[in-house]
Amino acid sequence: KQEVTQIPAALSVPEGENLVLNCSFTDSAIYNLQWFRQDPGKGLTSLLLIQSSQREQTSGRLNASLDKSSGRSTLYIAASQPGDSATYLCAVRAGSGNTGKLIFGQGTTLQVKP
Amino acid sequence: DAMVIQNPRYQVTQFGKPVTLSCSQTLNHNVMYWYQQKSSQAPKLLFHYYDKDFNNEADTPDNFQSRRPNTSFCFLDIRSPGLGDAAMYLCATSRVRGADTQYFGPGTRLTVL
């Protein structure tokens, strides 16, 4: 059974700092991995999608890497800003038969202090 | 422009009183998903539709049902809500079930009194 873990559960950093969020998964047989952002009481916004054949994806100040063999992904945020404060969730698409089911981690809640 | 719309954003119901949550999409995507997210927990897939084909997760309680009358709309029906069903309900879509991005709506926060 696929399990997704995110460490730490919460993180507080001063503005301008570079930071790394971690995601690990137990079954390396994934189709892709996606990072989401969730603001309090809101839905999910997709940040980056990494296909199983890819090693990383970049969007602006965000860079996500994927190491399938070790079951790990990281989300790197450069020059953090108070507006980056949110919960960040990673999810893997797993399962056979192309069902599209996402298995989520519980998220890392990030606070960037001005 | 909103692509995945959920109504209402907040829903209050009484214990045992049936409730329906609505999701619509302007993306013309084939797949629509319903997730349940309890406080401080990971979203959990309840079921999904691939076109008209309904796919229920094995551990989704019978209390939860879904309807998809057309490509654009999908409904989540909770027949007899219990206190444990209070959660954020998230609707998502994707073009296909394959290696594709899922687009999420803003969610409906359900409170059960």
Side-chain angles (χ1 to χ4, degrees):
Chain A
K1 179 184 175 184
Q2 177 74 270
E3 293 183 357
V4 180
T5 303
Q6 291 185 247
I7 295 173
L11 183 63
S12 180
V13 300
E15 181 177 6
E17 197 162 290
N18 302 324
L19 58 101
V20 174
L21 306 181
N22 297 294
C23 173
S24 61
F25 46 95
T26 54
D27 186 348
S28 61
I30 64 170
Y31 289 93
N32 60 39
L33 183 144
Q34 200 165 354
W35 281 93
F36 293 89
R37 170 183 172 140
Q38 185 173 34
D39 291 286
K42 302 287 182 63
L44 306 180
T45 301
S46 179
L47 297 173
L48 291 163
L49 172 72
I50 311 176
Q51 304 293 357
S52 61
S53 58
Q54 298 175 323
R55 299 281 296 192
E56 66 177 341
Q57 284 285 337
T58 298
S59 176
R61 293 183 294 108
L62 305 179
N63 176 277
S65 68
L66 174 63
D67 184 344
K68 270 184 57 178
S69 59
S70 66
R72 296 186 184 194
S73 176
T74 61
L75 178 67
Y76 175 82
I77 302 177
S80 58
Q81 303 170 358
D84 295 330
S85 299
T87 296
Y88 292 81
L89 294 143
C90 74
V92 298
R93 194 174 81 75
S96 61
N98 216 22
T99 63
K101 176 178 180 176
L102 292 178
I103 310 292
F104 283 86
Q106 289 190 299
T108 294
T109 299
L110 172 65
Q111 182 183 32
V112 180
K113 297 180 178 178
Chain B
D1 291 337
M3 297 183 290
V4 183
I5 301 162
Q6 292 189 243
N7 286 304
R9 296 291 311 279
Y10 301 91
Q11 176 72 57
V12 180
T13 190
Q14 292 180 335
F15 182 94
K17 185 175 180 181
V19 65
T20 294
L21 310 183
S22 170
C23 178
S24 64
Q25 52 129 340
T26 61
L27 297 163
N28 204 34
H29 282 174
N30 289 318
V31 193
M32 296 187 76
Y33 307 84
W34 279 104
Y35 291 85
Q36 178 192 63
Q37 185 181 25
K38 296 186 177 181
S39 181
S40 300
Q41 295 186 20
K44 179 176 174 297
L45 182 66
L46 295 173
F47 26 59
H48 76 277
Y49 272 96
Y50 179 63
D51 197 11
K52 296 180 181 179
D53 181 30
F54 177 71
N55 297 269
N56 198 30
E57 292 298 305
D59 55 355
T60 298
D62 293 339
N63 198 26
F64 292 86
Q65 304 286 323
S66 185
R67 296 170 284 134
R68 190 179 186 186
N70 53 53
T71 300
S72 300
F73 284 86
C74 193
F75 300 99
L76 170 62
D77 301 308
I78 309 176
R79 293 191 298 186
S80 182
L83 298 179
D85 297 327
M88 174 76 87
Y89 290 88
L90 299 166
C91 174
T93 75
S94 65
R95 187 175 51 85
V96 294
R97 287 193 296 197
D100 199 4
T101 302
Q102 291 192 13
Y103 296 86
F104 281 77
T108 294
R109 170 77 65 186
L110 177 68
T111 299
V112 182
L113 301 178

